[in-house]
Amino acid sequence: MVDFADSEAIRGPVPEWQTDLSRAPISTKIVVAGGFGVGKTTFVGAVSEIEPLKTEALMTQASEGTDDLASTPEKTTTTVALDFGRITLESDLVLYLFGTPGQQRFWFMWDDLVRGAIGAVVMADTRRLEDCFPALDYFESCGLPYIVAVNHFEGTHAYDTEDVREALSVPAHSPVVIMDARERSTVIESLLSLCAHALDATTV
């Protein structure tokens, strides 16, 4: 029987920073961007330690001719505002994840979503790499550090990271990683890669 007076039994061990006031947590904002249906909502949901906020709506005939479902024929919903999640890394590093909508008609929200962010994860699907270019151009223009995370879908050809870098003309200093948005471990590795890259960018 669980003793409800025992908070550790209910919530798990208390992070060290909550008992050591000299180690206040560092909170950072990260943007997750990319084309329509590339896996941004799945990415955020795979690691969020809270119930992720999703602003998905059912797709209707109104989006026909606008949203390309050729590579994602089973997709029935789409993000119309943002995805939001939170993950604590290394006990005192808290990442707040903001997933952007992928369709062009929602790009007007990007300026607000990226405000205050330390960096961005640009997700890519090798079947339609061209969908990455708007996000890559946007982050290049505003100078925000980013990495490219290739979401490897089952049944698709596995490409080397350098092949993807060349196809997208990603600068040598920006990491390119292969991951699976459904797998928590690979999502965390992608986020750690971005944090390291953003830290390097701020110390140059």
Side-chain angles (χ1 to χ4, degrees), residues 26-39:
I26 300 172
S27 300
T28 60
K29 178 180 180 180
I30 288 175
V31 174
V32 183
F36 169 73
V38 76

Side-chain angles (χ1 to χ4, degrees), residues 30-33 40-41 44 79 81-85 97-101 113:
I30 288 175
V31 174
V32 183
K40 300 181 293 294
T41 300
V44 173
T79 299
L82 60 91
D83 297 310
F84 173 77
L97 310 179
F98 289 77
T100 66
L113 289 176

Side-chain angles (χ1 to χ4, degrees), residues 56-113:
E56 292 195 306
L58 288 174
M59 300 182 66
T60 67
Q61 291 181 342
S63 66
E64 289 184 3
T66 302
D67 298 327
D68 183 6
L69 295 177
S71 298
T72 56
E74 297 180 357
K75 187 172 178 60
T76 59
T77 61
T78 183
T79 299
V80 295
L82 60 91
D83 297 310
F84 173 77
R86 183 191 72 199
I87 178 173
T88 303
L89 300 176
E90 300 297 331
S91 78
D92 59 355
L93 175 61
V94 181
L95 305 183
Y96 292 97
L97 310 179
F98 289 77
T100 66
Q103 302 95 317
Q104 183 175 357
R105 61 186 181 276
F106 296 126
W107 288 353
F108 68 90
M109 291 187 254
W110 283 27
D111 287 343
D112 290 328
L113 289 176

Side-chain angles (χ1 to χ4, degrees), residues 16-187:
E16 186 176 345
W17 61 264
Q18 291 187 6
T19 58
D20 182 359
L21 297 181
S22 67
R23 294 187 59 190
I26 300 172
S27 300
T28 60
K29 178 180 180 180
I30 288 175
V31 174
V32 183
F36 169 73
V38 76
K40 300 181 293 294
T41 300
T42 302
F43 182 102
V44 173
V47 295
S48 182
E49 62 197 16
I50 61 173
E51 184 66 27
L53 169 66
K54 301 177 183 179
T55 57
E56 292 195 306
L58 288 174
M59 300 182 66
T60 67
Q61 291 181 342
S63 66
E64 289 184 3
T66 302
D67 298 327
D68 183 6
L69 295 177
S71 298
T72 56
E74 297 180 357
K75 187 172 178 60
T76 59
T77 61
T78 183
T79 299
V80 295
L82 60 91
D83 297 310
F84 173 77
R86 183 191 72 199
I87 178 173
T88 303
L89 300 176
E90 300 297 331
S91 78
D92 59 355
L93 175 61
V94 181
L95 305 183
Y96 292 97
L97 310 179
F98 289 77
T100 66
Q103 302 95 317
Q104 183 175 357
R105 61 186 181 276
F106 296 126
W107 288 353
F108 68 90
M109 291 187 254
W110 283 27
D111 287 343
D112 290 328
L113 289 176
V114 303
R115 188 173 293 117
I118 65 163
V121 176
V122 178
M123 296 187 64
D125 179 349
T126 55
R127 296 170 295 182
R128 44 200 176 97
L129 285 177
E130 65 278 4
D131 290 355
C132 293
F133 288 122
L136 293 174
D137 290 343
Y138 180 86
F139 296 126
E140 286 281 1
S141 66
C142 66
L144 190 69
Y146 67 87
I147 69 167
V148 173
V150 179
N151 189 15
H152 181 61
F153 289 82
E154 292 181 5
T156 62
H157 182 77
Y159 290 91
D160 184 79
T161 55
E162 291 309 307
D163 291 334
V164 175
R165 180 186 301 279
E166 182 177 355
L168 294 175
S169 299
V170 176
H173 64 270
S174 295
V176 177
V177 300
I178 307 296
M179 47 78 67
D180 185 334
R182 301 167 301 177
E183 296 292 335
R184 178 181 174 86
S185 60
T186 65
V187 174

